[in-house]
Amino acid sequence: VQLQASGGGLVQAGGSLRLSCIFSGDTLEDYVLGWIRQAPEKEREVVSCIDHRGDRTFYSDSVKGRFTISRDNAKNTGYLQMNALKPDDTAVYYCAIERHCALLRPSDARGKGTLVTVSS
């Protein structure tokens, strides 16, 4: 199974970015999909998770109301729409899979991630 995150970049505070995660090697619908980030000199943080069919979503308090997670199982792709970005959102963002959102841990991050830099 491989996961590849993309869509990061440099954006001003208040701006938006949309991250994508391409999944390959298995059936995406068998897994929940999550996003994990690691800011400079900080521990990894699970920021969001979406269940197998996209019926339920979960967000950390730090991004709730600003980020929206979604998925398209037919395209084997997940997304993270990030609005009202803040400098504190600067991090490398990774996608991850698990059997249930409750099991998702920072260590589940896969691939190289995509860097998001928010300037003040």
Side-chain angles (χ1 to χ4, degrees), residues 88-106:
D88 284 349
D89 295 318
T90 295
V92 177
Y93 284 73
Y94 303 87
C95 42
I97 54 171
E98 248 297 353
R99 295 298 182 181
H100 298 285
C101 283
L103 299 176
L104 196 63
R105 297 290 181 267

Side-chain angles (χ1 to χ4, degrees), residues 28-89:
L28 180 59
E29 193 170 350
D30 290 345
Y31 302 91
V32 302
L33 178 71
W35 287 92
I36 295 165
R37 70 183 181 185
Q38 184 162 22
E41 302 181 357
K42 293 186 178 179
E43 295 185 352
R44 286 183 179 178
E45 172 192 17
V46 177
V47 296
S48 187
C49 187
I50 186 168
D51 73 355
H52 304 75
R53 297 183 180 181
D55 296 328
R56 298 183 67 187
T57 57
F58 302 91
Y59 299 94
S60 67
D61 289 342
S62 59
V63 307
K64 195 175 297 181
R66 300 186 298 119
F67 290 12
T68 302
I69 191 171
S70 61
R71 64 191 290 164
D72 186 336
N73 290 337
K75 294 183 179 179
N76 277 347
T77 303
Y79 306 96
L80 186 68
Q81 177 67 43
M82 306 186 296
N83 297 329
L85 283 162
K86 305 174 181 179
D88 284 349
D89 295 318

Side-chain angles (χ1 to χ4, degrees), residues 9-17 84-91 115-120:
L10 174 63
V11 63
Q12 288 188 333
S16 298
L17 281 175
L85 283 162
K86 305 174 181 179
D88 284 349
D89 295 318
T90 295
L115 175 63
V116 173
T117 304
V118 184
S119 63
S120 57

Side-chain angles (χ1 to χ4, degrees), residues 2-6 20-24 35 95 110-114:
Q2 290 189 331
L3 298 169
Q4 181 58 57
S6 63
S20 298
C21 174
I22 297 176
F23 172 93
S24 61
W35 287 92
C95 42
R110 297 199 188 192
K112 295 183 178 180
T114 186

